[in-house]
Amino acid sequence: MSAYTVTATPQAEEAGAVALAVASLPATFGPATEDRAADVAVIAGEAGWTTEAARAIDAGPRGILVVDPVPEETTQLADAARAAGAAVVLDLHWASNPALVSGSGDPDARDAVRSAAGTASLLDSIATAAPGTDVQRLLARHLAAVLAVSGQLHGVRVLRSGTTGYTATGLLANGAPFTAQGVLTAARPAGVGIHLYTADGGVDVQVPDPDAAWPAEVRVTGAHGQLLLPTLYESAHRAAWRRLKTHLSAGTLPDDLAGFARLTDLYATLAAT
C-alpha cells in the first residue's frame, strides 16, 4: 500500500506526467480514493497558481506539488504553507532536473558552474521549444535553469522578443557577460543548453525536456581535460516527486518558494523595462 495518496487537476496531470511519476514510486505514492482526502495535491503552475495552492492547503493535504509554475509572488503562499506545516515543492520544467542540483551531495552542474564562476569570461545559454510555445513562459523556464546553477544574475534585460524567440543579456557575479537566447523551432529537440567559458575550459550543461527519454549531460573542461559528470537517468518530474517524498517522510518543509522568489524578482524587473 502506498504511503501517500495523490490527487491532481487535469491540467497538472498533463503538464507533469503525474500518473507516470507516481507509478515510478509505487511504494510511496498512489491515487486517492473518492472516500479519502488526498495527502498530496498537484496543481498546474498557470497564472494564479499561488492562490490555487493556498486554497488547496486549506483542505489539509500534507504536500502540494506545483507543475511548471509561472513567476508569481510567493510570500503569502509560503506563510500559509508554514502555518499549516504543508510541504510545497515546485516541479520546474528544467531547473528541477537532478543533473543541475542533485540534492544528494553528488557532483552536479551547480557545483561545477559556481566553482568556475570566479574566472568566467562568458555564460551563454540557448533554450529551444516547439513553435507556438508561449515566449514569456519559455523565458521564465530558461532563467530558472540558469539561476539554479549560477546563483546570481545582474542587470538582465531583454533585447528582443517576438513570435520566434528572444534575446536577453546580463552580468554574472564577477562582471562577466551573460547571454540567453530562446528559439521556437521544430528543427531541434526542445531543451536548454548552458555553457560557461573560462580561461582554461568551462562547463557545458545540456538538459532535455522533462518528458524526454534521454538524460541531461554535464561536461567540465579544464587543465585536467574533459570530465563527464555521472549521468542521472531521471526526469525533472520524478526528481521533484522524490524531493517531496523526502520532506514528507522527514516532516520538513522545503525552501522551494524562497528560492523561486529570486526568479519572481528578476522577472518583475524585466517586465518593468
Side-chain angles (χ1 to χ4, degrees):
M1 180 177 178
S2 300
Y4 306 105
T5 56
V6 176
T7 184
T9 66
Q11 295 88 346
E13 170 63 50
E14 180 179 357
V18 173
L20 181 61
V22 167
S24 72
L25 297 165
T28 305
F29 299 106
T33 59
E34 294 183 0
D35 60 345
R36 178 184 170 187
D39 298 310
V40 176
V42 189
I43 66 174
E46 304 298 332
W49 66 267
T50 51
T51 300
E52 185 178 355
R55 286 198 299 263
I57 287 174
D58 290 340
R62 297 183 57 183
I64 303 288
L65 189 135
V66 184
V67 180
D68 193 18
V70 299
E72 286 192 355
E73 173 58 49
T74 61
T75 302
Q76 292 185 344
L77 175 59
D79 291 342
R82 192 177 305 111
V88 179
V89 167
L90 307 182
D91 177 3
L92 302 175
H93 194 76
W94 291 313
S96 287
N97 192 293
L100 296 187
V101 182
S102 72
S104 62
D106 294 329
D108 57 27
R110 177 177 61 181
D111 291 340
V113 169
R114 295 186 187 184
S115 295
T119 60
S121 58
L122 170 68
L123 190 150
D124 184 38
S125 182
I126 300 177
T128 307
T133 301
D134 181 86
V135 170
Q136 295 304 314
R137 191 67 172 272
L138 179 63
L139 177 60
R141 293 170 176 172
H142 192 171
L143 292 176
V146 175
L147 284 171
V149 297
S150 70
Q152 289 182 317
L153 295 173
H154 303 283
V156 179
R157 58 195 181 99
V158 176
L159 302 180
R160 177 191 66 86
S161 181
T163 58
T164 60
Y166 55 79
T167 301
T169 64
L171 298 174
L172 301 178
N174 74 335
F178 154 72
T179 65
Q181 296 183 62
V183 181
L184 302 187
T185 178
R188 54 183 288 175
V192 63
I194 302 170
H195 197 111
L196 181 75
Y197 295 89
T198 64
D200 61 355
V203 182
D204 182 69
V205 183
Q206 300 294 328
V207 183
D209 260 17
D211 297 330
W214 57 89
E217 290 188 352
V218 181
R219 299 178 185 273
V220 182
T221 305
H224 58 273
Q226 186 178 87
L227 173 67
L228 174 65
L229 296 192
T231 302
L232 304 175
Y233 288 87
E234 183 173 57
S235 71
H237 294 319
R238 191 176 188 276
W241 279 97
R242 276 201 308 105
R243 287 198 301 108
L244 178 59
K245 169 191 173 182
T246 298
H247 287 289
L248 291 176
S249 299
T252 55
L253 300 181
D255 60 359
D256 289 40
L257 294 176
F260 195 72
R262 290 183 303 151
L263 175 63
T264 300
D265 292 343
L266 176 57
Y267 212 75
T269 301
L270 291 177
T273 58

